[in-house]
Every structure is written in structure tokens, then in C-alpha cells.
Amino acid sequence: MRRSLAFLVGALPVLLAGVLVAPAVAADADGAEGADGFTIKDPRITESSGLVASRAHPGVYWTHNDSDDGAFLYAVDSKTGETVATVTMTGVGRPRDVEAISIGPNGHLYVGDIGDNLNGAWDHVWIYELPEPKQLKDQSIRATQYDVKYADGARDAEALMVHPKTGRAYIVSKNEDGGGLYEGPAKLSASGTNTFKRIGDIGLWVTDGAFSPDGKRLAVRGYFGGLAYTWNGGKVKQEDRLNVPLQGQGESIAYTPDGSTLLYGSEGSGSSVEPEDAPGAGGGDGKSSSGDGGSASGDGTDDGMNADLTKGAIALGAALVVIYGLKRLFRREPRD
């Protein structure tokens, strides 16, 4: 979704704060598909807003533009950044503001036409469901369209997550004061309205979210930060902060299929998808290095804080070196 210059200027202090504490990008996670990150090369993909790993085609990630670009999904090869298939959804009318994509335990893709530029002016939004194609080629696939409303009134949202074990759909609303976690019916219905009910609070202005492959964690991101929650059947508990890379307009988040790495995408032409270690690195089993399913520091306090301070000190030192170098550069006499 396009953002105003005023927003970016207002967010500059947060961005600068992130520079001082952001750790380095994670290295390749033992060969996990897409764990090195990639750059989207397709000139048609200028507003990549959702991202999910294919189940049928290793190394392929599905994405889409947001707003009213059309009913198109793009399969991107993470090794080359090239689009290897374009799917046109049929049976869904004209999408309004497609913001998210997820995949269910049935191998179907779920597409969230859930954005609302007018912040709650539309009394309903849509989710589209379609089987992931067995062959990667340009094709049209008929999707099922679900009408969605919220029990407490219309709102804007950009995060749709389908639980990898239960197949239940969840949405996180988008608000600068923090979003709400909404749970859909046990099974979506194409013949009536699907009412999503608020079951929890998310302390972030959320632009996307993703379940870990084992379904034990929920990761959400915003423009300049992210949070990891333990799932606990929907009784979410904040576990840790995510190491979100600095991006022009951070819009998407996805797990690699083994759960070891989180991939972060951004809007823009030739946008990059950047990797970071997922909570409980290598966490396909949902366990942290402490072995208790919590944060690596056990209770997530002293050790975690010390680690953050150490990372912050290193980053600060690096920033000072850069500033010193720039000062020396600008002090040089201009050449003829």
C-alpha cells in the first residue's frame, strides 16, 4: 500500500533508532530453500505485499502486488529472482486491495483482499482460496471467494495467516496503536458471511504475519520492527522481538519451509527479500535453544537484554566509524 512522504518523515526517528540496534543479516541457514534471500526481478511486481513459500515447488515463493493491480499471483524462483509462473485467479470479480497470501495444510493458497485505504469504510472484505498449481506455467485457476466481516466493525488489515495444522484463517488488523488478532470460523463458507472475532491484541502496526511451519509461533512485522509470539492455540504470548532489516517499505514476511529463517519483503521495483534467523533458529520443531519452547534466554529478560545491549554497542560503534569517515570525506579540499 502506498504511503505518504509525511509518514516516512514521521517514522525517521524510529528508523534511525533501528540503525543503532539492528544486528547483522543472518547467514544462510544450512541450505534452507530461499534462506539466502533474493531480489524480485519481474518488472510487473512493483508493490510486492505478501509472500509465502510454495509447498509443491521447493525454492519457489508466491507473491502479488497490492491495491487493485488485478487477480494475479506470481511464482518467483528464490535462486534466480525470476518469475517462473503467473496465475490469474478467476471467479473472484475485481480485487480491491490484495495485501496478503498464505498457504493451508490442504496445499491451497489463501489470498487476502483485506486492505482498506479508507480505514474501515468497506463493510466487508474478501479471502480467495485456490489450489496451488502442480505445474509452474502461466495459467488461470478458479478460486473460491469468501465474504469476510469483523464482529466489532470494519477495519483496515494487511496480515492474513492460515494455521498450518488446523487450516483456520486469522487476520491481524492494522493500527498505529497496535492491531487486533481476529479468528475466522473453523471452516470458511462460500455461501454466507464469515465473521472474524477478536481474540487477542498485537502490539505492533502490522503489515504482514506468518505462522511457523509447526504452527507453534506467530511472527508479525511492521515497517520498522517485528514481534514473535508463541501461539498456544490462539492465546498469544509475546516471545521476542524480530530482527527486521531496514527496507524502503517493509510489507511482507514468510518462513522458509524448514522454519529456520524468516524472509522479509518490501515494495518497489527490483525489491529485495532479505533473510534473518527465525526465533529458535532451525526451529522446524518449534523449540528454542533453551529447549523449553520459550526464548533463547529462558525467561527472555537478563540474557536477552545483555545480548541486545552487546549487539547495540557493536552497531553503534560501526555507525560512529561511518560518521567519522563521512566527516573526513567532507573536510577534504575539492579537486579541480
Side-chain angles (χ1 to χ4, degrees), residues 44 83-88 135-140:
R44 297 173 298 174
T83 297
V84 292
T86 301
V87 168
T88 302
Q135 292 184 318
L136 289 175
K137 62 179 182 179
D138 293 351
Q139 57 193 293
S140 295

Side-chain angles (χ1 to χ4, degrees), residues 75-324:
V76 179
D77 186 341
S78 62
K79 293 182 179 179
T80 65
E82 300 285 355
T83 297
V84 292
T86 301
V87 168
T88 302
M89 294 183 291
T90 63
V92 300
R94 181 177 178 84
R96 230 170 11 198
D97 193 352
V98 178
E99 290 287 356
I101 187 168
S102 187
I103 196 164
N106 57 359
H108 287 196
L109 295 168
Y110 291 79
V111 182
D113 190 357
I114 57 176
D116 188 341
N117 284 318
L118 302 177
N119 197 30
W122 295 327
D123 64 354
H124 70 281
V125 291
W126 300 302
I127 294 174
Y128 312 129
E129 178 187 356
L130 67 156
E132 184 178 12
K134 295 180 179 179
Q135 292 184 318
L136 289 175
K137 62 179 182 179
D138 293 351
Q139 57 193 293
S140 295
I141 299 178
R142 187 168 186 83
T144 301
Q145 178 170 310
Y146 302 111
D147 280 350
V148 169
K149 291 187 177 183
Y150 302 96
D152 53 359
R155 59 205 58 248
D156 189 19
E158 295 190 13
L160 166 71
M161 304 81 57
V162 175
H163 196 274
K165 302 300 182 182
T166 68
R168 197 162 195 159
Y170 296 84
I171 293 173
V172 178
S173 62
K174 184 181 182 187
N175 188 287
E176 54 266 44
D177 296 324
L181 174 64
Y182 289 82
E183 181 180 71
K187 184 176 177 60
L188 296 173
S189 170
S191 60
T193 299
N194 297 274
T195 301
F196 278 60
K197 299 178 181 180
R198 186 166 181 148
I199 62 170
D201 299 327
I202 300 295
L204 191 72
W205 192 358
V206 175
T207 59
D208 201 11
F211 282 114
S212 60
D214 60 14
K216 295 181 179 180
R217 287 184 173 88
L218 172 65
V220 294
R221 73 159 301 171
Y223 295 115
F224 307 114
L227 297 172
Y229 291 86
T230 52
W231 181 241
N232 299 321
K235 297 178 181 178
V236 292
K237 180 179 180 182
Q238 185 177 329
E239 177 185 35
D240 206 351
R241 292 187 178 275
L242 299 177
N243 297 328
V244 178
L246 299 177
Q247 296 175 307
Q249 188 174 323
E251 288 280 345
S252 63
I253 186 172
Y255 274 90
T256 53
D258 70 347
S260 67
T261 304
L262 280 167
L263 297 176
Y264 298 88
S266 176
E267 287 194 3
S269 299
S271 61
S272 62
V273 176
E274 301 184 27
E276 290 282 357
D277 283 341
D285 60 358
K287 294 179 181 178
S288 71
S289 58
S290 66
D292 62 359
S295 66
S297 61
D299 62 2
T301 54
D302 294 341
D303 291 343
M305 185 178 295
N306 290 337
D308 287 344
L309 289 173
T310 300
K311 292 176 182 178
I314 294 172
L316 179 58
L320 291 175
V321 169
V322 172
I323 293 171
Y324 176 72

Side-chain angles (χ1 to χ4, degrees), residues 9-29:
V9 171
L12 187 58
V14 179
L15 179 61
L16 293 176
V19 172
L20 296 179
V21 300
V25 173
D28 182 18

Side-chain angles (χ1 to χ4, degrees), residues 1-2 38-52 60-67 69-78 80-87 98 101 138 249 251-252 265-273:
M1 188 179 294
R2 297 177 181 86
F38 54 95
T39 298
I40 296 174
K41 297 180 181 178
D42 192 330
R44 297 173 298 174
I45 306 174
T46 58
E47 294 183 297
S48 176
S49 188
L51 189 71
V52 70
V60 168
Y61 287 78
W62 291 96
T63 190
H64 54 83
N65 288 318
D66 76 355
S67 301
D69 172 67
F72 306 118
L73 304 178
Y74 304 95
V76 179
D77 186 341
S78 62
T80 65
E82 300 285 355
T83 297
V84 292
T86 301
V87 168
V98 178
I101 187 168
D138 293 351
Q249 188 174 323
E251 288 280 345
S252 63
S266 176
E267 287 194 3
S269 299
S271 61
S272 62
V273 176

